[in-house]
Amino acid sequence: MTTTRFAPSPTGYIHIGNLRTALMNYLIARKAGGSFILRIDDTDPERSKEEYVDGIKRDLEWLGLHWDRVDRQSARLDLYEAAAQKLRDMGRFYEAFETPTELDLKRKKQLNMGKPPVYDRAALALSEAEKERLRAERGNGVWRFKLNHARIEWDDGILGDISIDAASVSDPVLIRGDGQVLYTLASVVDDTEMGVTHVVRGSDHVTNTATQIQMIEALGGTLPVFAHHSLLTGPQGEALSKRLGTLALRDLRAQGVQPAALLSLMARLGSSDPVELQTDMAALIDGFDISHFGSAPTKFDAEDLYPLTARYLSGLPLEAVAEEVSAAGVPDDKAEEFWAVTRENIRTLKDLGGWWTLMQNGAEPQIDAEDADFVAEALALLPEPPFDAETWSTWTAEVKAQTGRKGRGLFMPLRKALTGQAHGPDMSALMPLLQVVKAGR
Ligand code: GLU
């Protein structure tokens, strides 16, 4: 059975980059009628926080990315220890004692000599007695996986044929000196034990994949299909890594972005398929094909989420937004009318409050100098509120007759005088909700 997983480390909230990973894995599982696992990679007790675990779950639920199973690596440490022992028994796991400073020095020397900064395996030459002495001096060493120096090859679901020379990669540290198991090992154990068939993640993991392929083989697991999606950049191609903190899903949610907008954009961005608003998850799943994604960095502009959000909202019935309409201060008996007038004129639901205030208190008029006399003349003809559905047509007909203005030259100055903006709802529909006109009063 097709099984995928989203494996965030709960050391922060999920951002737009993580969403891409989560979504691709989710869509692959759902399209195949398979299973989607949420795996919390919390082997780092210091940096992992419950608050983030909760936050990650809330974000996924908000998006409708429901998981079939949730697991936590912190509850599976025995399995990792057993795998570590197996690697030790096979002679593929060794203890090394270099301090970070020593490693850094080695790297610098190698780079100076024009060599790749690959760990030199000095620890392999240590005798038992030397290890004892180092352990007494420095505490436990780290445990490194001994790579086979051969080429590691796989057919990547996005990148195509990949071939990496294992000799160009340092033997990865899988257990730290303090005993903490690193996700690189934990992930291999879990993917094998949980029957994960497809692993989609960012291209920053390509080297990990190479080492993990050897680990899976050493531990006798079955290799999943790997696919590495390109990393996101900002709209100008600039690195996004530093700004990802500001692109947390919870912040986008707080800014009024709708799940449908996020899903529609992120399920297609970077692929040859067009981005269009998709309100139906089944259609999103159906049209998803990982092989349509390219390896080039993918430009992401958070601004693109807003037109999609607006389009999504404009199609909603009042029931779907009744709570927000009410929270904007609109009384129930006006809600239907209010929503009909505003739904196509908001960027997010956060704009509702502004429209209601405008209707209640009147807008700051916008009157261009050349229209001042005309607007004054027109306003003198406007009756006092409350207005009704006929007010706009009756009034503008009268203004037209009196001033001779017509078309845009007639309507636009009046719209701007009454609403303070050049764009907005159909004025006939707006008038009955408009309680106050500030201009000329
Ligand atoms: N916890 C890892 C990360 O967030 C998981 C990587 C993976 O998908 O294997 O980078």
Side-chain angles (χ1 to χ4, degrees), residues 104-362:
D104 208 40
L105 212 68
K106 284 188 189 202
R107 267 194 295 269
K108 284 193 180 125
K109 273 192 194 156
Q110 287 168 315
L111 288 171
N112 277 341
M113 286 160 41
K115 287 188 183 164
V118 178
Y119 177 60
D120 63 7
R121 296 185 157 176
L124 278 178
L126 295 173
S127 68
E128 277 311 314
E130 283 169 318
K131 285 192 215 169
E132 271 310 321
R133 184 180 54 78
L134 283 165
R135 230 174 260 131
E137 258 176 46
R138 303 184 170 188
N140 287 333
V142 302
W143 284 86
R144 287 185 183 263
F145 176 65
K146 191 173 164 222
L147 292 167
N148 269 337
H149 283 176
R151 292 205 79 84
I152 304 168
E153 304 189 323
W154 74 93
D155 179 12
D156 194 279
I158 293 173
L159 303 176
D161 284 335
I162 301 278
S163 172
I164 291 180
D165 180 2
S168 71
V169 182
S170 296
D171 287 342
V173 172
L174 303 186
I175 299 182
R176 298 201 320 193
D178 63 3
Q180 192 190 119
V181 176
L182 296 182
Y183 110 89
T184 328
L185 172 62
S187 186
V188 157
V189 172
D190 289 342
D191 287 342
T192 298
E193 196 271 336
M194 295 174 188
V196 169
T197 57
H198 295 70
V199 172
V200 182
R201 53 190 180 185
S203 49
D204 49 335
H205 280 290
V206 165
T207 310
N208 280 340
T209 296
T211 66
Q212 287 181 325
I213 284 176
Q214 284 204 358
M215 287 182 232
I216 295 169
E217 283 169 345
L219 291 167
T222 309
L223 289 179
V225 173
F226 286 101
H228 296 85
H229 59 73
S230 66
L231 298 184
L232 295 178
T233 71
Q236 313 310 329
E238 71 277 20
L240 210 55
S241 46
K242 290 203 186 66
R243 285 187 33 226
L244 282 174
T246 65
L247 293 170
L249 298 190
R250 65 202 306 264
D251 297 330
L252 294 171
R253 174 168 63 232
Q255 282 150 27
V257 169
Q258 289 287 322
L262 268 166
L263 297 171
S264 300
L265 183 64
M266 298 316 289
R268 299 291 185 266
L269 193 70
S271 78
S272 53
D273 301 316
V275 172
E276 48 201 26
L277 178 68
Q278 195 55 266
T279 55
D280 178 15
M281 185 69 97
L284 208 60
I285 294 168
D286 219 41
F288 179 79
D289 189 334
I290 190 114
S291 70
H292 292 179
F293 283 78
S295 57
T298 302
K299 286 189 179 143
F300 168 77
D301 188 347
E303 274 310 303
D304 293 343
L305 294 167
Y306 293 96
L308 289 165
T309 292
R311 198 159 343 129
Y312 169 71
L313 292 174
S314 70
L316 292 181
L318 173 66
E319 300 89 83
V321 294
E323 218 171 281
E324 287 84 354
V325 168
S326 165
V330 183
D332 288 352
D333 63 335
K334 292 255 188 291
E336 196 71 61
E337 205 181 345
F338 173 82
W339 180 240
V341 166
T342 52
R343 60 199 255 172
E344 286 180 5
N345 293 283
I346 48 173
R347 187 169 126 100
T348 72
L349 290 173
K350 294 164 78 67
D351 292 344
L352 292 178
W355 277 113
W356 185 242
T357 306
L358 183 155
M359 291 165 185
Q360 291 297 286
N361 305 335

Side-chain angles (χ1 to χ4, degrees), residues 60-80:
L60 292 178
E61 274 163 1
W62 174 64
L63 290 165
L65 302 185
H66 306 297
W67 53 90
D68 302 298
R69 162 177 177 180
V70 57
D71 274 288
R72 299 181 68 133
Q73 292 194 325
S74 57
R76 300 167 56 84
L77 299 178
D78 291 352
L79 289 170
Y80 312 143

